Amino acid sequence: MRVLVACEYSGRVRDSFIAKGHEAMSCDLLPTEKPGPHYQGDVRDVMDYPWDLMIAHPPCTDLSVSGAAWFEKKKTNGFQQMSA
């Protein structure tokens, strides 16, 4: 299976899929922490490839309900919308 792991720079999920025999690549705006197949840039650049599965992990600090007290600030600075 060809797997794209979006919003991941750690390489942990990507490497777990590779260990199980899948073809996997991580993608994030940040460089990867571990060597391996990784695209540094906007996920929209690579999401049209022939992937069988895409997993996305947007920054939960901008979307989590536990941070509801800061939602107004996150809406104002645009972080919440960018993560969504």
Side-chain angles (χ1 to χ4, degrees), residues 10-50:
S10 70
R12 289 185 189 118
V13 175
R14 174 201 66 206
D15 292 348
S16 295
F17 275 99
I18 291 172
K20 294 290 185 180
H22 300 288
E23 181 183 332
M25 181 176 82
S26 56
C27 175
D28 198 275
L29 296 174
L30 301 172
T32 185
E33 292 180 338
K34 295 173 65 179
H38 180 77
Y39 178 77
Q40 184 178 345
D42 192 319
V43 70
R44 293 173 290 188
D45 296 341
V46 295
M47 64 188 286
D48 287 336
Y49 287 21

Side-chain angles (χ1 to χ4, degrees), residues 3-9 25-28 43 54-58:
V3 181
L4 173 62
V5 185
C7 309
E8 184 201 40
Y9 61 89
M25 181 176 82
S26 56
C27 175
D28 198 275
V43 70
M54 182 175 116
I55 300 168
H57 302 277

Side-chain angles (χ1 to χ4, degrees), residues 58-71 74 80 83-84:
C60 60
T61 54
D62 298 330
L63 300 173
S64 173
V65 176
S66 64
W70 296 275
F71 274 4
K74 293 175 187 184
Q80 193 174 55
S83 293

